[in-house]
Amino acid sequence: MKGNIREVRGSWAALLVAGSLLVGCTGGSAEGGGGEPSRPTGSPSGGTSPSASASGGSPAVSTPDPELVPRTSAAAERLVRSVALGPDDWGRGFVAQSPGESTPGTWAVLDGTCRWQRERLPKGVLASLSRYSSLPGGDGKGTVKVTVAVTAHDSVLGADEQLSTTLEEVLRCPEQRLRSDERLTGLMSLGTPFGAREQRYADDSVLETGEYAEEGGGTGSYRWMVARLGTVVVAVAVKGAEGYTQPELNELGTSALVQMLERVQQQVEKK
């Protein structure tokens, strides 16, 4: 990502510290019906001057090539599939959950009862894909579950609206139901535009923290990291487990986010 990987990790470290100090701040997200959340907020970096975004005004991390930015559902579908991480991308030992990915043509929606459901894509959302992986437990360690989500909008305004909705959802639903046997509690979130709190890697970002619990299983920490580049929103959720430190889990999520941000830039940035 133009040599900004250390900067991204440093920024997320700062956000994680800030997030730990939150006491019921704005917004949140998650994806249900088999998934997790997705949405962000912000602007650029990378050793070059910020350029105006497609929405006309706010700075942008990179300069997308209009010919490469997805404008059709087919093009957007190809992009989200090339960006979303699968089990092999996470590292040794990771396997696909069941199901391993979301149903095509759908995205996650938090309903009136604070349950995540998958619904048909609304107008303005060209494509969305979530993939679910896990690192099975053993030798005194529990199973770590991870989710990635990539959504391509037809405008920057639409992508920004997704982030705004994310921040509002935690206020409405500080407790949320993911899959039928998974629950999130104590949710708090922090939105960070480009330039705030050392955030210089994305047009916008959101950090959500809380705890998750499985029926008949254990509990663990929950982190949902979201970032936007132009019209594309990428997100990573990490559900902690026994035997893993929080810094280890944070690094796992940050590395995954960096990979997907790099892939988005490779797909849409001017060469």
Side-chain angles (χ1 to χ4, degrees), residues 16 20 207-211 221-225 236-240 246 249-250:
L16 286 164
S20 67
L207 169 67
E208 182 173 313
T209 66
E211 301 293 324
S221 65
Y222 176 80
R223 293 290 186 276
W224 178 240
M225 303 176 176
V236 178
V238 178
K239 302 169 187 173
Q246 196 57 59
L249 297 170
N250 293 343

Side-chain angles (χ1 to χ4, degrees), residues 22-172:
L22 291 177
V23 183
C25 286
T26 54
S29 104
E31 275 198 26
E36 267 10 73
S38 40
R39 289 121 186 164
T41 98
S43 236
S45 144
T48 58
S49 300
S51 59
S53 72
S55 62
S58 59
V61 173
S62 60
T63 303
D65 186 336
E67 298 298 319
L68 298 178
V69 175
R71 299 299 181 191
T72 66
S73 295
E77 183 69 22
R78 288 193 293 271
L79 182 142
V80 299
R81 288 197 164 276
S82 67
V83 171
L85 303 186
D88 293 342
D89 298 307
W90 284 94
R92 181 182 300 176
F94 278 88
V95 297
Q97 294 186 47
S98 180
E101 65 178 44
S102 58
T103 303
T106 68
W107 76 335
V109 175
L110 188 64
D111 68 17
T113 65
C114 297
R115 290 175 176 266
W116 284 95
Q117 309 286 345
R118 296 207 69 89
E119 297 182 0
R120 293 182 61 180
L121 296 177
K123 183 178 180 180
V125 178
L126 299 176
S128 186
L129 176 67
S130 296
R131 283 181 171 152
Y132 320 115
S133 304
S134 65
L135 181 61
D139 296 327
K141 291 187 175 183
T143 297
V144 173
K145 294 183 178 181
V146 294
T147 297
V148 299
V150 184
T151 302
H153 294 260
D154 65 2
S155 69
V156 171
L157 182 61
D160 272 335
E161 186 175 343
Q162 183 186 354
L163 301 191
S164 298
T165 299
T166 296
L167 290 173
E168 294 166 357
E169 284 168 344
V170 161
L171 290 176
R172 177 168 67 90

Side-chain angles (χ1 to χ4, degrees), residues 231-263:
T231 61
V232 182
V233 175
V234 300
V236 178
V238 178
K239 302 169 187 173
E242 184 180 359
Y244 291 91
T245 66
Q246 196 57 59
E248 288 175 327
L249 297 170
N250 293 343
E251 174 67 16
L252 183 65
T254 300
S255 295
L257 190 77
V258 168
Q259 287 187 66
M260 292 198 294
L261 288 171
E262 288 178 329
R263 290 181 179 187

